[in-house]
Amino acid sequence: MIVRISGEGQYRLDDADAQKLNELENGVVAVVEGGSEDGFKDALARLLDYARTHGTPLADDELEASDVILPPADISFEEAGREFTGEGLIPD
Amino acid sequence: MAGLTGRMSTVVKAKVSKLLDKAEDPGETLDYSYQKQVEQLQNVKKGIADVVTAKKRLQMQESSLQQSVVKLDTQARQALAAGNEQLAKAALERKNVAQTELQGLDTQVAELEDQQQKLTDSEQKLRAKIEAFRTKKEVIKAQYSAAEAQVRISEAATGVGEQMADVGLAMQRAVDKTENMRARADAVQELEAAGTFDDVTQLGGGEDDIDRQLKQLSSAPAVEDELAKMKAELGGGAAAPQISAPGPAGADAPPAGADPSEAGQAGESGGQA
């Protein structure tokens, strides 16, 4: 599975990581939908760190399309509110 | 998949298929997409240049504000030493406003620095992908039948297209931020044009409009605190009587330690307050 962190780059992750990634993303969505900024940065950082630590960076010259595109690390709470909707990152 | 992920993927796929639909012949499609990619790379470079220009403008304002802070501080000390507390207070109020603006600019310059770094990284990635695409297109043209080539082009073009869309997003966010900063830079410039940071020794006897506004802008306790601190400092030394009073009596002798350029500035910026 190829995951892109927007503004950062692509990572190759094991397909088995998809479920954990989806859980973490749901966590971010829940915080955003809750309407309170508390915990937003932490939840986002956990999601992105998971991709960074469990993935291997793709070489710059690899021409692979991503299966998942994650928001940029510096996305603001307001921006996230506009971008996320209630559905999870990865389709069932 | 309707979150950010879904939206971005949809946008990328739409862009890529639009690109591929333009030409019938796969070989032509390849050359066309490559040409488009190179054009896009140029746009990215222009975008980075814009961010650098915005940053330079803020940095120039920063250094000019820093000079004002030093100048106004010196003038406050001079005025206080000469027993003109009113004038010292006016200088400190101006210094206070300049410092507040300076802090805001600091944050923004750091933010732009960050944006610039990210865009430069993205640009390098995009360039590497475009180069890989160029190599790959020659291979595809030489080795595959038209039908097969179509599939492989689509894969390769999506890889580049996604990076392109990502740079596009980063660029858009940088532009939005730069716009916000432009508003701040303009506000600082307006304050400068209004003479907010000008030489206080040029003030007449009466309080002018700027001073009234400044009193509202700058937080009074901070000014009072600093004034008290300066008084204490000056009270400790015996040098005070040697410093001549600026203003009607003539501000010809800057105290020891004052920037020599201040004297020149004092003469030039008259009549604005």
Side-chain angles (χ1 to χ4, degrees):
Chain A
M1 177 173 71
I2 310 284
V3 175
R4 171 185 291 276
I5 299 178
S6 190
E8 220 173 288
Q10 291 173 294
Y11 297 86
R12 182 171 276 116
L13 268 81
D14 205 276
D15 285 348
D17 287 324
Q19 202 188 337
K20 179 69 183 166
L21 212 55
N22 202 18
E23 273 170 33
L24 288 169
E25 203 255 2
N26 283 337
V28 178
V29 172
V31 173
V32 172
E33 286 187 334
S36 162
E37 209 171 332
D38 288 347
F40 169 69
K41 282 223 175 306
D42 285 346
L44 180 66
R46 272 199 297 276
L47 170 67
L48 300 184
D49 276 344
Y50 188 84
R52 287 187 199 114
T53 50
H54 287 73
T56 327
L58 246 69
D60 286 354
D61 61 357
E62 280 189 73
L63 297 175
E64 299 255 16
S66 304
D67 300 296
V68 166
I69 300 174
L70 300 178
D74 64 347
I75 194 169
S76 70
F77 185 67
E78 290 77 27
E79 281 177 304
R82 288 197 295 271
E83 299 294 354
F84 280 109
T85 63
E87 288 178 48
L89 190 64
I90 297 152
D92 294 323
Chain B
M1 199 161 74
L4 176 61
T5 311
R7 261 191 44 185
M8 274 196 72
S9 308
T10 311
V11 170
V12 170
K13 276 174 195 145
K15 271 189 180 163
V16 172
S17 66
K18 213 167 131 193
L19 207 64
L20 295 176
D21 284 348
K22 289 249 164 86
E24 294 275 304
D25 169 46
E28 206 181 298
T29 312
L30 281 166
D31 292 336
Y32 181 76
S33 6
Y34 176 67
Q35 183 198 323
K36 281 280 155 202
Q37 287 162 13
V38 173
E39 277 172 32
Q40 281 296 105
L41 190 62
Q42 293 307 316
N43 286 337
V44 173
K45 282 185 186 152
K46 272 186 219 144
I48 294 173
D50 287 345
V51 172
V52 172
T53 307
K55 193 182 78 182
K56 280 195 179 138
R57 189 181 171 205
L58 290 182
Q59 280 170 332
M60 271 164 64
Q61 283 196 328
E62 259 191 319
S63 82
S64 140
L65 276 177
Q66 268 154 4
Q67 282 173 18
S68 296
V69 167
V70 172
K71 180 183 76 186
L72 289 166
D73 186 82
T74 307
Q75 291 186 331
R77 279 167 207 280
Q78 283 178 300
L80 203 57
N84 192 342
E85 193 172 325
Q86 201 63 32
L87 194 62
K89 221 168 161 180
L92 286 179
E93 271 154 7
R94 287 173 182 225
K95 183 188 158 193
N96 199 291
V97 175
Q99 273 174 326
T100 309
E101 294 302 330
L102 203 52
Q103 280 162 8
L105 287 178
D106 264 348
T107 316
Q108 293 189 328
V109 167
E111 224 173 279
L112 278 185
E113 196 88 52
D114 193 45
Q115 295 289 328
Q116 185 190 338
Q117 189 53 50
K118 278 187 186 143
L119 282 175
T120 309
D121 290 349
S122 288
E123 190 231 308
Q124 271 165 13
K125 285 200 169 74
L126 181 59
R127 204 203 317 235
K129 285 202 196 304
I130 290 174
E131 184 51 31
F133 183 86
R134 192 183 66 83
T135 314
K136 198 159 190 173
K137 92 181 161 80
E138 295 311 318
V139 174
I140 293 172
K141 276 205 281 194
Q143 290 187 352
Y144 294 96
S145 70
E148 246 180 327
Q150 200 69 50
V151 175
R152 283 167 195 279
I153 294 161
S154 178
E155 279 170 13
T158 308
V160 184
E162 191 187 297
Q163 184 67 39
M164 212 121 78
D166 196 48
V167 176
L169 180 76
M171 192 72 80
Q172 189 51 54
R173 300 180 79 235
V175 167
D176 289 349
K177 283 193 176 151
T178 318
E179 296 277 304
N180 290 342
M181 289 174 194
R182 195 164 293 149
R184 172 148 214 145
D186 286 347
V188 173
Q189 200 163 34
E190 266 175 43
L191 287 174
E192 268 175 349
T196 308
F197 309 124
D198 278 358
D199 199 329
V200 283
T201 57
Q202 299 300 313
L203 291 178
E207 207 177 53
D208 65 8
D209 218 33
I210 294 172
D211 282 298
R212 276 189 291 276
Q213 285 172 28
L214 279 177
K215 277 193 180 140
Q216 289 172 347
L217 269 174
S218 65
S219 63
V223 170
E224 293 296 343
D225 279 359
E226 204 172 350
L227 195 64
K229 219 189 275 168
M230 258 184 200
K231 274 184 190 165
E233 274 175 41
L234 283 169
Q242 293 166 9
I243 299 162
S244 69
D252 41 12
D259 185 343
S261 68
E262 303 301 336
Q265 278 180 7
E268 285 157 23
S269 57
Q272 287 197 43

